[in-house]
Amino acid sequence: RHEARKKLVISDSQLLLVNVANLIPYKGQADLLFALSNIQSEMPGSWVLFIVGRDDGIGEELRRLVTKYGLEWNVRFLGSRDDVPELLMAADIGILTSHTEGFSNAILEYMASGLPVIATDVGGSKEAVSNQEGILVKQGEIESIGKAILNLATDSELRVQLGQSGIKRV
């Protein structure tokens, strides 16, 4: 974890959120950014969100939202990567705020990496994630997304507990 964070220029004390999903409207990154904008003053200490995935046409719009919401120091767009397992090893929380979903590989990868999951209750997400591995929120409920992030951001013991349960479940 330490070495992975060092390569990514992330301190050990920073909270690292990760969203692995191509930049497509139905993947809900705009909802995630809006939720973060609503809670940024309540977030503990230093934090960063990595958005990892291919830009399928909404990257510029998402970057405008980052600027509009004042999140420029907190959000990094990493594009397509072939080192996702290493990114997940460095992270603290895996987030997927899709509007629709099949059975998400990203959620399984988060869980296999020992990350607690915050996901929208769509498609196969409710089959993959119980309250033992993460927090499911209703799709489009920005306030619920923010509350879930704050809940995990402020409780490192809960993050570890959910992450360990995720490893077992996968």
Side-chain angles (χ1 to χ4, degrees):
R1 176 180 162 87
H2 174 76
E3 288 304 314
R5 283 177 164 250
K6 187 175 176 182
K7 287 171 96 175
L8 297 166
V9 192
I10 299 293
S11 76
D12 287 335
S13 63
Q14 277 183 301
L15 182 72
L16 177 54
L17 315 172
V18 65
N19 170 260
V20 178
N22 290 326
L23 309 185
I24 304 169
Y26 70 81
K27 289 297 187 175
Q29 287 101 342
D31 293 348
L32 175 56
L33 295 174
F34 188 35
L36 286 167
S37 76
N38 290 338
I39 64 168
Q40 63 183 316
S41 65
E42 300 172 68
M43 288 289 280
S46 178
W47 63 275
V48 65
L49 166 67
F50 283 176
I51 296 178
V52 182
R54 181 184 64 241
D55 184 355
D56 283 347
I58 65 165
E60 284 306 311
E61 176 186 340
L62 294 174
R63 285 176 177 80
R64 281 193 293 278
L65 289 176
V66 165
T67 301
K68 176 182 176 181
Y69 298 148
L71 298 170
E72 301 93 341
W73 297 106
N74 301 101
V75 177
R76 296 186 195 170
F77 291 91
L78 302 186
S80 293
R81 302 282 293 236
D82 58 7
D83 62 344
V84 172
E86 188 171 350
L87 296 173
L88 298 182
M89 185 186 328
D92 295 296
I93 302 169
I95 305 173
L96 190 68
T97 51
S98 295
H99 298 171
T100 184
E101 195 65 59
F103 195 80
S104 170
N105 286 334
I107 288 175
L108 296 177
E109 291 170 358
Y110 296 161
M111 291 167 58
S113 298
L115 295 180
V117 176
I118 296 171
T120 46
D121 188 6
V122 297
S125 300
K126 56 188 163 243
E127 295 170 9
V129 180
S130 76
N131 63 1
Q132 300 300 307
E133 300 86 29
I135 301 171
L136 288 177
V137 298
K138 294 229 184 273
Q139 182 270 315
E141 288 191 6
I142 304 303
E143 187 175 330
S144 295
I145 296 167
K147 284 180 181 179
I149 293 168
L150 282 175
N151 188 21
L152 291 182
T154 58
D155 192 339
S156 61
E157 289 180 21
L158 180 59
R159 289 195 308 266
V160 170
Q161 178 186 343
L162 296 176
Q164 292 301 309
S165 292
I167 290 170
K168 291 176 188 171
R169 184 167 174 99
V170 168

